Amino acid sequence: MVLVVWPPGVNDLLVVDPRVTETRTLDPGDAAAIRAAERTGLPFLHWRTTAGGQQVRLLDDQQWRLTVGRHTDSDIALTSDAEVSRAHALLERVGDEWTVIDDGLSRNGSFVNGNRVLGRQRLHDRDRLCFGQTQLVFREPQPAETEESTARVSDHVGVIPLSSQQRKVLIALCRPLYESSSATPATNKQIADEVFLTTDAVKAHLRILFERFGLSELAQNAKRAKLARAALDEGILKPHDF
């Protein structure tokens, strides 16, 4: 399964796969389209088609349900992806939250951050959705979101949304520190063994966590220690998590 990670720099799209890792750079027009969507303050999706073109879809208040599929009549029509079912999944707004629903419609399944969707799953800013071979990034920017507010996210770590798999990775990272104050955070291999993921998948989840905690600019070793200490000191992880 391929995961698409959207790092702090909007110009870089990192594709992580157990078989290959590569970095693609968006051209200025694509990057500008994403920044324009961010400035609207509306939730939106952006993705790259199998032909290589970028798509951006705003999710305004007039929409509450969108169909995803290979059929041309789908709201999100992934017509060139042979692994997408004609009727694959639904995106549905519940109150102020967007969710993805796959209750068995698709042949190959739907995934959020590498985890298969079984029924309905709530979406958070920068979650990555996978339908067939197509990767979509869900964005839910704040109306006044700026680079400064993103960089200061570590001041508000208590409200950072975490998927169930991201929380498991974070718990595994912090476990040695919870058990001994003199220990160091778990290695990627230790985390992978605990949560039953590949080391590449662990690295992908950690990149997202570094970004959401505002730590992406730190050195690699510093990021791991700072992330673990923030999760423990700010009360994001509780004793019962261990």
Side-chain angles (χ1 to χ4, degrees):
M1 180 55 57
V2 180
L3 304 180
V4 175
V5 182
W6 192 253
V10 72
N11 288 330
D12 294 327
L13 182 61
L14 181 65
V15 180
V16 180
D17 184 281
R19 299 158 298 177
V20 63
T21 301
E22 61 177 312
T23 302
R24 302 172 188 165
T25 301
L26 290 177
D27 65 42
D30 289 347
I34 292 174
R35 286 194 292 268
E38 289 175 334
R39 287 194 291 270
T40 69
L42 294 171
F44 67 94
L45 296 163
H46 67 84
W47 70 95
R48 191 167 295 280
T49 67
T50 55
Q54 178 177 266
Q55 299 290 320
V56 177
R57 174 67 181 259
L58 293 176
L59 306 176
D60 60 38
D61 292 340
Q62 303 303 312
Q63 302 167 309
W64 68 277
R65 175 183 286 176
L66 293 90
T67 57
V68 180
R70 200 172 74 252
H71 197 283
T72 56
D73 290 339
S74 300
D75 297 307
I76 305 294
L78 308 177
T79 56
S80 59
D81 190 334
E83 295 189 18
V84 172
S85 299
R86 288 174 62 82
H88 196 101
L90 294 172
L91 295 172
E92 186 172 278
R93 182 162 54 87
V94 180
D96 293 330
E97 307 292 341
W98 278 94
T99 64
V100 59
I101 305 170
D102 188 331
D103 53 5
L105 275 177
S106 65
R107 181 179 69 252
N108 294 318
S110 303
F111 298 81
V112 175
N113 300 326
N115 303 310
R116 185 158 189 165
V117 176
L118 301 174
R120 182 191 299 269
Q121 181 167 331
R122 178 183 173 185
L123 296 177
H124 300 288
D125 185 36
R126 300 180 190 274
D127 276 347
R128 301 167 322 284
L129 294 79
C130 177
F131 306 115
Q133 288 296 310
T134 306
Q135 322 294 324
L136 294 81
V137 179
F138 174 78
R139 292 300 318 278
E140 193 172 24
Q142 297 301 312
E145 183 179 72
T146 63
E147 291 184 5
E148 179 180 359
S149 66
T150 301
R152 290 173 58 83
V153 70
S154 58
D155 295 339
H156 308 282
V157 292
V159 297
I160 292 177
L162 300 175
S163 70
S164 60
Q165 196 64 265
Q166 289 163 4
R167 177 171 286 275
K168 290 177 183 177
V169 168
L170 189 58
I171 291 170
L173 175 76
C174 297
R175 189 177 301 282
L177 291 175
Y178 179 77
E179 295 174 350
S180 173
S181 59
S182 61
T184 58
T187 65
N188 291 340
K189 178 64 164 57
Q190 290 172 324
I191 297 172
D193 290 342
E194 178 172 333
V195 300
F196 304 106
L197 290 174
T198 65
T199 55
D200 286 311
V202 168
K203 291 176 184 178
H205 284 299
L206 285 174
R207 287 189 189 98
I208 299 168
L209 290 169
F210 293 148
E211 176 190 341
R212 290 189 175 177
F213 280 73
L215 305 174
S216 297
E217 301 304 316
L218 298 180
Q220 187 66 24
N221 289 341
K223 284 191 287 191
R224 298 172 70 88
K226 187 73 172 178
L227 174 61
R229 288 268 44 113
L232 294 172
D233 295 344
E234 299 292 337
I236 294 173
L237 298 182
K238 307 294 185 181
H240 64 75
D241 290 317
F242 300 94

